Each structure stands twice: as C-alpha cells, then as structure tokens.
Amino acid sequence: MKTLTLLRHAKSSWDDPVARDFDRPLNAKGRRAAAMIGRQLKSLDFKFDHILASPAVRVMETLDEVWNGYGRRLEPVWDKAMYLASGASLLDLVHALPEDADHVLMVGHNPGLEDLTLDLTLDGELRERAEDKYPTATVAQMTLPITRWAEAQSNSATLIAFIRPRDLDPTLGPDTP
C-alpha cells in the first residue's frame, strides 16, 4: 500500500508586479492558509518520506509556511516538470517515484493536481468534494493498493482526506464582495 498526498500551493498575489508567473509570491491570506494546513497535517499525524515539488516561488513559499505550522522542515526534491503540469504528466512523475518511498507528498498547481486526484480515485463523497472545487492550499490524500509506484492507475485509489483551508477557518474561504 502506498499513500499519495497532493497539496495545491496557497493563494498567490496578483498585485505583485513580477515579470514571470513562475515568480509570483503568496499573499497574506495564502500564508495564513498554508500555516494552518501545516498545523492540521501535524495534528492528523501525516508523515512523508519523499516530497516532490514545483520550484515556482508560490510553491516554495507555501512549503515554508506549511513547515512553520507542521513544526518540522522537510526538504523536497524540486522538479520543474511539476510546474503547471497536466494530470497525465503528474501521473508519469508518480510512476517514477522512488520505490522505497511509501508516503509521498507532491506540491504543485491546478488544474493538474485536481485532474490527477480525479483520475486516480474511486467514486465517493470526498471525491465529489474534490470534483466540485480544489481550492488553493487544499490537501488531498489517497491510498493506492500497490507495492510499486509504476502500478498506479486510474480509478484505483481511495481518497481518505480532502482538507480545504476554509474547512478549518471560514475566513480562509472565498472572498466575499
């Protein structure tokens, strides 16, 4: 059995004048949400033995805040292939994960993370929530009935957690006009 956890980067700032999308930082709400998600991961005793992350600034800053909340810094493998990757490309990265890693965290972007979640998981209430909306700083954790990552396939995983920042603190939900 393998466990795959997907974390979408936190809310980024569109007000910051950067030359490239890749360099866009988090906004204040995103920083709060990421730290809260880190605290939740710790309280639920989520553990990771391998982390694969996009090197985009907003992902790096998300992880900094998550680790602040988690209380422990874990070092990811930074992979440019994760930057704005499609669900199919992310599945290729899953297939290439180290076999000795049983609990993997992947941190990146939508729509790829949402597409990968929906592709891998079986129907159920949590999957319906993910299908409805996969907001920034949201965590989806699934178990896969496999012994090797290369065996991961569509409609085989069980989504066991889907945690949105607004579920933990309503002020972290969508902005209201």
Side-chain angles (χ1 to χ4, degrees), residues 7-13 16 18 22-28 30-35 53-69 73 76 78 107 109 137:
L7 169 62
R8 183 178 174 196
H9 68 77
K11 188 169 264 325
S12 58
S13 174
D16 204 306
V18 295
F22 187 88
D23 298 322
R24 204 161 17 95
L26 295 184
N27 66 20
R31 289 184 185 286
R32 283 190 315 123
S54 162
V57 169
R58 60 191 176 274
V59 172
M60 295 171 80
E61 291 183 355
T62 295
L63 277 174
D64 284 343
E65 295 298 332
V66 166
W67 300 146
N68 286 340
R73 181 171 203 78
W78 303 106
V107 189
H109 312 267

Side-chain angles (χ1 to χ4, degrees), residues 128-141:
E128 287 176 17
R129 287 181 57 207
E131 192 171 11
D132 180 48
K133 179 114 171 135
Y134 197 123
T136 53
T138 292
V139 172
Q141 186 173 74

Side-chain angles (χ1 to χ4, degrees), residues 47-155:
K47 303 244 189 281
F48 309 106
D49 50 26
H50 186 78
I51 301 162
L52 187 63
S54 162
V57 169
R58 60 191 176 274
V59 172
M60 295 171 80
E61 291 183 355
T62 295
L63 277 174
D64 284 343
E65 295 298 332
V66 166
W67 300 146
N68 286 340
Y70 192 72
R72 184 171 156 226
R73 181 171 203 78
L74 304 172
E75 289 304 320
V77 173
W78 303 106
D79 189 337
K80 281 191 174 185
M82 290 217 35
Y83 178 65
L84 303 180
S86 68
S89 294
L90 291 173
L91 183 56
D92 289 341
L93 293 173
V94 168
H95 287 153
L97 288 168
E99 294 308 330
D100 62 343
D102 291 322
H103 302 277
V104 172
L105 172 64
M106 292 176 71
V107 189
H109 312 267
N110 252 11
L113 290 178
E114 179 177 346
D115 291 344
L116 180 61
T117 300
L118 297 178
D119 177 51
L120 288 176
T121 57
L122 298 163
D123 289 340
E125 179 187 339
L126 289 178
R127 187 182 187 282
E128 287 176 17
R129 287 181 57 207
E131 192 171 11
D132 180 48
K133 179 114 171 135
Y134 197 123
T136 53
T138 292
V139 172
Q141 186 173 74
M142 62 196 80
T143 56
L144 295 94
I146 58 175
T147 55
R148 296 175 43 247
W149 289 108
E151 299 168 347
Q153 62 184 351
S154 298
N155 304 310

